[in-house]
Amino acid sequence: MLLDLSVLMAERVGFVIILAFLLVNIPYFRKLLFHRSFSSAVQLILIFSLFAILTDLTGIELDPNNVIQNQSLLTHVPSTYSVVNARILSVTVAGIIGGPWVGSTVGLIAGSFRVLQGGLAQQAWFYVPSSVLIGIASGLLYKNRRTSFATMTPSKAFFVGLSMELVQMVFILLFSPTGWKLVRVIAIPMTIISSIGTSIFISIITMYLRQEQETKATQTQSVLQLASETLP
């Protein structure tokens, strides 16, 4: 059961990583990371909210006995069922990249969508405050950068992702009807694999932006060198 769930969770996180790789290849997205404004923050919210909603839709459905259900797209989840997904990964990265306001708003949207998935069931409402809290907490690690982008190391991103997943586990333990019965099954796949995904996601963004900065620095140096050679 644990191995099956881990493999399925790795597939979902891998899907997010592929999307991240495609995203950073879009120059417009990279500009959003360099230029801080209300408009860029709103666009980051839209992008990462889409990520979070996709992770909700592609989650792994478990029945009350923690048996995996075969369903490819989760448009509706019975109120007594649970979902294992990479939603917290998306919210955490949104906070790290965009700050507390971006992270908390993405968390609000992602948590609300999870509630809608469950048909507005009372036992699913705790996903809203937990996702918002995680967005704020990860966003507090953000530094206001207007002209340059620098983010955390992959190892730190792993531990941040791990901490945020543990916060989610506490909420599930306290407020989910199945509590410990569910947490003991999903804790390892969700915390470890999602944390690795957070680390890889941040690594991809950092790598591309660092390459872009190095390219600009090389171009500037070449221009200055050419200017010095042509001047009398």
Side-chain angles (χ1 to χ4, degrees):
M1 171 65 181
L2 183 62
L3 179 60
D4 292 339
L5 198 56
S6 297
V7 171
L8 291 172
M9 185 64 184
E11 290 177 356
R12 271 58 176 186
V13 170
F15 172 68
V16 174
I17 298 305
I18 291 172
L19 291 179
F21 181 79
L22 296 174
L23 188 64
V24 296
N25 277 283
I26 301 174
Y28 186 78
F29 173 73
R30 296 198 294 269
K31 289 181 181 179
L32 293 178
L33 303 178
F34 281 97
H35 303 291
R36 295 298 176 182
S37 66
F38 176 78
S39 175
S40 64
V42 170
Q43 291 175 76
L44 287 174
I45 288 171
L46 293 174
I47 291 170
F48 284 108
S49 292
L50 180 60
F51 267 71
I53 289 172
L54 286 173
T55 58
D56 277 334
L57 288 171
T58 57
I60 306 155
E61 190 176 40
L62 302 179
D63 70 12
N65 295 317
N66 293 331
V67 176
I68 298 172
Q69 303 300 301
N70 295 321
Q71 190 169 340
S72 58
L73 202 61
L74 302 181
T75 55
H76 174 71
V77 178
S79 60
T80 56
Y81 281 41
S82 304
V83 178
V84 178
N85 56 39
R87 180 182 64 256
I88 299 306
L89 186 162
S90 302
V91 176
T92 300
V93 172
I96 294 172
I97 299 299
W101 187 72
V102 171
S104 60
T105 306
V106 171
L108 176 63
I109 294 170
S112 298
F113 185 83
R114 175 62 184 87
V115 173
L116 289 173
Q117 268 185 311
L120 301 177
Q122 183 179 356
Q123 55 264 45
W125 279 95
F126 72 88
Y127 288 111
V128 176
S130 67
S131 297
V132 171
L133 177 62
I134 287 167
I136 294 172
S138 59
L140 292 176
L141 302 169
Y142 162 90
K143 294 181 180 179
N144 187 23
R145 299 172 289 264
R146 294 187 178 277
T147 58
S148 63
F149 180 88
T151 190
M152 61 182 61
T153 61
S155 59
K156 186 176 180 181
F158 173 85
F159 286 109
V160 171
L162 184 65
S163 301
M164 299 303 104
E165 287 289 347
L166 290 176
V167 170
Q168 182 66 71
M169 290 301 117
V170 171
F171 270 83
I172 294 173
L173 186 63
L174 294 176
F175 300 107
S176 172
T178 50
W180 171 246
K181 181 181 178 182
L182 176 62
V183 169
R184 67 185 177 85
V185 172
I186 69 172
I188 293 178
M190 284 190 68
T191 55
I192 301 301
I193 296 175
S194 185
S195 301
I196 292 172
T198 301
S199 176
I200 295 173
F201 198 125
I202 294 298
S203 298
I204 291 171
I205 294 177
T206 303
M207 178 184 67
Y208 270 83
L209 293 177
R210 188 173 295 151
Q211 288 178 350
E212 192 165 287
Q213 288 178 325
E214 289 175 354
T215 299
K216 289 180 179 179
T218 301
Q219 290 174 343
T220 301
Q221 186 176 2
S222 299
V223 170
L224 292 175
Q225 184 177 353
L226 180 62
S228 62
E229 291 175 353
T230 55
L231 288 174

